[in-house]
Amino acid sequence: MIKCNHCHRKEGIHMENRIDMLNGSLGDKIIKYAIPLAVTGVLQQLFNAADLAVVGRFSGKEAMAAVGGNAPVIGLLINLFVGISLGSNVIIARSIGQKDNENISKSVHTSVIIALLGGLLLAVLGELLAPVIVNMLDVPTDVYPLAVKYLRIYLAGMPVILLYNFEAAIFRSCGNTQTPLAALVVSGILNVILNLFFVLGLGMDVDGVAAATVLSNLASSAILFAALMKTNLPVRINLRKIRVYGDVLGQILIIGIPSGIQGMIFSFANIIIQSAVNSLGTTVMAASSAAYNLEIFSYYIMNSFGQACTTFVGQNCGAVNGGRCRKTLKLCLMQSLISTAAASGIILLFSRPLLGIFNTDPAVIASGQVRLRYIFFAYLFSFAQEVLSGYLRGFGISFIPAACAVIGICGVRLTWIFTVFRQAPSFATIMQVYPISLCITAAAILVITLFVKPSRKLKGEIC
């Protein structure tokens, strides 16, 4: 049985940072959970931002475009397994609410196998198909060889990249978002140091920043793995127990696969959008990459409240407490809106100097500001979509938010690119589809949530 808060200091690996989601106030605990999660997401993005900044400053905008242009395809390849890690989060959180330690242990060890085998599969496929994948992106000739080189090295590190994501999901399901953050602080500093060493010290370009990203992810995954082996909580990793448990695997996949497929299709739509961006030239490519690495900071703040909603609802679903589930939803919506609006406003206010960190070309900065304005307007709808989707997933309802996102976001964006953009091929035309698609999706998920009312079914098949 999971021990009480007074016993946490005896558990090792900073388990005193665990949040009791089943008792007491909710508002302050949601913020305490979400803030480290948002910072963790920002640090992960800083890996790529550091890559862009270093190559943009010291290797030119072609190398910068090669790194940024690969972002959608990397997301396509890893999002399936990141979605499955969300399934692990929900199953472990629900088992904690039910005090089912055996199911917790099975879920943890099955998750480790999924991460390692999935990472190896993506690494092999990436090495074989990197040239084909880059060709699909329609990158300019001067960018192509650099893009292939970066992609191959990055994908070789998929086993440790996915392992970190699954390990972080295990910690978050317990209410601990601070330990994954601490691991990323270490690896983030290491990433910056290695970037400068490989590029400035050894004269490397995209291969240097890719290698730095892989090595830093190796460090963070190793730190979390060691921590999970030392704890006395039910999430402890025992090397002898690492295998696939069929009953738990099914539970994880039922929730994780729809989320993963949603992420893959979402990334596929982004690849089509990236191809449209690439067709406008290297300057627009560089601008879009730089803006993305700023807007994503605001996104991670918004997304952290969606993930908080999933975990808090998951534990309280397991404990059969519908009232706390509904209160969690209301608080996450309010806190996400306020936090996202504040972050987006600050980035817009200082957009010119922030974009200048990546590239000082005035044309790059101007185009980057165009993207930021459209994206942050879209976030007025996106925050609701993130939190409502997280709420449904906390109950194990994963297919509905996935279907809404596939149709409302991906379907609208693909249709827009193949129709409206072809008639008016400009960067602004591409960006207009973001607020339109997110508005449609948020409205659809809101209507479905009002009708489904999953908290009324706490004693039924959902939990």
Side-chain angles (χ1 to χ4, degrees), residues 51 102 112-113 144 149 181 189 203 206 250 326 392 441 445:
D51 296 348
E102 181 180 357
V112 171
I113 290 294
Y144 175 82
K149 182 165 58 172
L181 172 58
I189 294 172
V206 295
R326 291 188 293 273
L392 293 174
T441 304
I445 293 179

Side-chain angles (χ1 to χ4, degrees), residues 113-361:
I113 290 294
I114 294 172
L116 293 175
L117 294 183
L120 287 172
L121 176 62
L122 292 183
V124 172
L125 291 177
E127 295 305 308
L128 295 175
L129 300 177
V132 176
I133 294 170
V134 174
N135 271 326
M136 291 173 57
L137 295 175
D138 193 28
V139 301
T141 304
D142 56 344
V143 177
Y144 175 82
L146 294 173
V148 171
K149 182 165 58 172
Y150 179 83
L151 185 60
R152 277 186 164 145
I153 297 173
Y154 191 102
L155 293 180
M158 276 297 140
V160 295
I161 292 172
L162 293 188
L163 181 59
Y164 170 81
N165 280 281
F166 275 82
E167 291 167 337
I170 293 169
F171 278 97
R172 291 164 188 161
S173 66
C174 298
N176 183 340
T177 55
Q178 295 187 35
T179 300
L181 172 58
L184 270 183
V185 168
V186 174
S187 60
I189 294 172
L190 177 62
N191 185 63
V192 173
I193 293 172
L194 291 177
N195 271 334
L196 296 174
F197 172 72
F198 288 142
V199 175
L200 294 181
L202 301 183
M204 302 169 70
D205 46 47
V206 295
D207 52 348
V209 294
T213 299
V214 171
L215 291 174
S216 59
N217 273 276
L218 173 62
S220 60
S221 62
I223 290 171
L224 292 190
F225 194 87
L228 287 169
M229 289 185 66
K230 292 180 180 179
T231 181
N232 292 322
L233 290 173
V235 294
R236 180 175 184 172
I237 289 178
N238 185 330
L239 294 180
R240 296 180 179 179
K241 294 183 179 181
I242 294 180
R243 61 180 179 272
V244 173
Y245 295 87
D247 54 338
V248 171
L249 177 64
Q251 297 175 46
I252 292 173
L253 295 182
I254 287 173
I255 299 172
I257 285 182
S259 299
I261 291 176
Q262 172 191 336
M264 290 181 67
I265 297 176
F266 186 84
S267 294
F268 176 74
N270 283 344
I271 288 176
I272 301 301
I273 291 176
Q274 184 65 47
S275 296
V277 170
N278 293 349
S279 70
L280 299 176
T282 302
T283 296
V284 172
M285 286 178 66
S288 184
S289 297
Y292 173 82
N293 280 277
L294 294 178
E295 77 202 30
I296 202 68
F297 295 163
S298 185
Y299 169 79
Y300 277 123
I301 293 174
M302 173 174 59
N303 178 259
S304 69
F305 287 96
Q307 291 193 49
C309 195
T310 295
T311 307
F312 275 76
V313 169
Q315 284 202 18
N316 284 283
C317 172
V320 197
N321 193 335
R324 285 180 72 84
C325 293
R326 291 188 293 273
K327 187 174 181 181
T328 293
L329 173 62
K330 295 175 184 177
L331 288 169
C332 285
L333 283 170
M334 179 184 66
Q335 293 172 351
S336 178
L337 174 60
I338 295 172
S339 302
T340 303
S344 300
I346 292 171
I347 293 173
L348 276 177
L349 183 63
F350 298 100
S351 60
R352 181 171 291 276
L354 289 173
L355 289 166
I357 294 173
F358 301 98
N359 194 286
T360 56
D361 186 334

Side-chain angles (χ1 to χ4, degrees), residues 6-25:
H6 300 294
C7 301
H8 288 167
R9 291 188 181 276
K10 299 179 181 179
E11 302 295 349
I13 68 166
H14 304 292
M15 278 301 176
E16 64 271 19
N17 293 325
R18 289 173 58 236
I19 297 171
D20 181 2
M21 300 181 180
L22 303 175
N23 304 284
S25 61

